[in-house]
Amino acid sequence: MELEVRHLRVLCAIAETGSLHKAARQLGMSQPSLTTQLRRIENALGAELFTRGRTGCRPTPLGRSVLSRARPLVEQMATLITEARSAAAGTDGPRLRVGSTASRALPGWLRRLRTGRPGTDIALHMDVSANALLRSVAAGQLDVAFVHEVEGCPLRVPDGLRARVLVEREPQFVSMAPDHPAAAQPVVDLTDLAGDRWMVDPTVDGEWDGLRRVLAEAGIDPPLLHCDYHTAASLIVLGEAVAPCQPTSLPREDLAIRPLRDDPLAVRLLLYAREAALLDPLYDDLAAAYREAALRAAPYRRWLRRNGMSVGPGMMTA
């Protein structure tokens, strides 16, 4: 078997996520298929590239050597495809390639970008992995990336990137069924949810480790479900699980959003680019969109008022 770029993408995904399960999710394939693919790659090279254990997959010395050469090739191929597609589409005007993890501020930001930059071809790339988006910015595949960093789980920021902090510490709320006993309170204690199943998406950088740390510090050990957040919503409304959520999430009749006491879960919101001159105008539009999303969400509005916070130019200021 000859190695192809798709095989190198498999190796990079496994190394990035540290797990066959997470890598399969990221690549949109089943875990058995990914395991078979990895076995074929290792057979073709004549040695193991990863050690498998209870804590996940780790590159062997040979694996690290292969990855050091594979990553630049994968990034260069992605750049080649992006540039070729742009040329084929005949895009002669200015372009802005935006990357983002999930955010309620994103629609308003894109609306402002398109309104304020007529004639600019604005492309959006969504990814659950903030680290993957930052690598794309560093490789020139994206111009800017809006990402979140889970508290206690620093992002791996490539050299040469510039950052602006949008929100230094955004509290993460919890979503639950509206008839959950804890939903009767305006603020929920973690211990009130000790008997619930918690849902977390392990493909989102840092969220699995961040949630486990916070639950352990609270002295509780509830069962954790691995699931993407779209699928989780159906479980939550049935009372089968609870899950962390962004404070800008809008309550629904079948879903309650509540802050956690003392805000143990938090993220930092950042905007990254290679060019410092690109950050300021994009940041201003993003800050306005975030303020709009924050004030639209009643639970977050009440949290801001209760904590004497405002969402202004400096974002989340006392």
Side-chain angles (χ1 to χ4, degrees):
M1 183 186 81
E2 292 187 1
L3 289 187
E4 303 173 13
V5 174
R6 62 189 177 94
H7 299 134
L8 303 184
R9 291 195 187 100
V10 165
L11 300 180
C12 291
I14 296 171
E16 169 64 27
T17 62
S19 160
L20 291 176
H21 172 73
K22 294 178 184 178
R25 287 278 299 277
Q26 185 180 104
L27 295 167
M29 59 194 301
S30 69
Q31 183 172 333
S33 296
L34 180 65
T35 301
T36 300
Q37 188 78 274
L38 176 59
R39 190 179 300 117
R40 289 174 178 169
I41 295 170
E42 291 178 327
N43 288 340
L45 295 178
E48 285 192 348
L49 300 178
F50 295 90
T51 58
R52 287 79 147 175
R54 295 181 62 184
T55 58
C57 293
R58 297 291 180 269
T60 62
L62 175 61
R64 287 193 292 272
S65 175
V66 171
L67 285 164
S68 69
R69 296 176 178 270
R71 287 190 177 107
L73 292 173
V74 170
E75 292 171 353
Q76 290 167 16
M77 179 59 72
T79 301
L80 184 154
I81 292 172
T82 299
E83 293 177 350
R85 286 175 176 169
S86 177
T91 302
D92 299 323
R95 291 186 303 152
L96 180 62
R97 298 162 299 174
V98 176
S100 180
T101 51
S103 171
R104 303 285 175 175
L106 190 55
W109 187 33
L110 290 175
R111 184 178 68 249
R112 285 172 170 80
L113 291 177
R114 291 188 171 116
T115 300
R117 295 161 181 77
T120 299
D121 176 28
I122 299 176
L124 173 65
H125 176 73
M126 297 288 296
D127 201 310
V128 297
S129 172
N131 287 311
L133 290 171
L134 296 185
R135 289 197 304 272
S136 294
V137 174
Q141 299 157 14
L142 294 173
D143 298 304
V144 62
F146 174 42
V147 298
H148 71 276
E149 178 183 69
V150 176
E151 193 168 66
C153 303
L155 295 174
R156 295 186 290 276
V157 182
D159 292 338
L161 296 193
R162 308 298 180 92
R164 286 285 305 272
V165 177
L166 179 70
V167 178
E168 183 62 42
R169 193 175 193 272
E170 181 193 67
Q172 297 300 280
F173 289 1
V174 63
S175 57
M176 64 190 76
D179 59 353
H180 191 292
Q185 303 298 322
V187 179
V188 176
D189 286 299
L190 273 177
T191 52
D192 294 335
L193 307 173
D196 289 281
R197 287 179 290 271
W198 282 76
M199 198 292 304
V200 65
D201 187 343
T203 64
V204 180
D205 292 334
E207 294 206 1
W208 165 246
D209 291 332
L211 179 59
R212 283 196 307 174
R213 174 182 57 81
V214 167
L215 294 175
E217 289 175 352
I220 61 176
D221 186 23
L224 298 179
L225 302 177
H226 291 180
C227 181
D228 67 90
Y229 286 117
H230 291 294
T231 305
S234 60
L235 298 176
I236 294 170
V237 299
L238 294 174
E240 294 295 325
V242 299
C245 67
Q246 298 175 22
T248 48
S249 301
L250 297 177
R252 305 175 349 197
E253 289 186 0
D254 58 353
L255 199 67
I257 307 293
R258 297 289 184 271
L260 291 166
R261 192 173 306 282
D262 299 326
D263 310 310
L265 288 168
V267 302
R268 188 163 63 140
L269 304 181
L270 306 111
L271 185 65
Y272 280 95
R274 286 180 300 166
E275 301 175 21
L278 189 62
L279 280 176
D280 287 345
L282 298 180
Y283 176 91
D284 291 341
D285 285 333
L286 178 57
Y290 182 84
R291 182 177 188 276
E292 180 181 71
L295 298 181
R296 188 187 304 123
Y300 198 16
R301 241 186 6 253
R302 290 192 291 269
W303 182 93
L304 290 166
R305 187 165 54 246
R306 185 168 58 250
N307 288 275
M309 308 287 285
S310 64
V311 184
M315 306 309 293
M316 296 293 290
T317 55

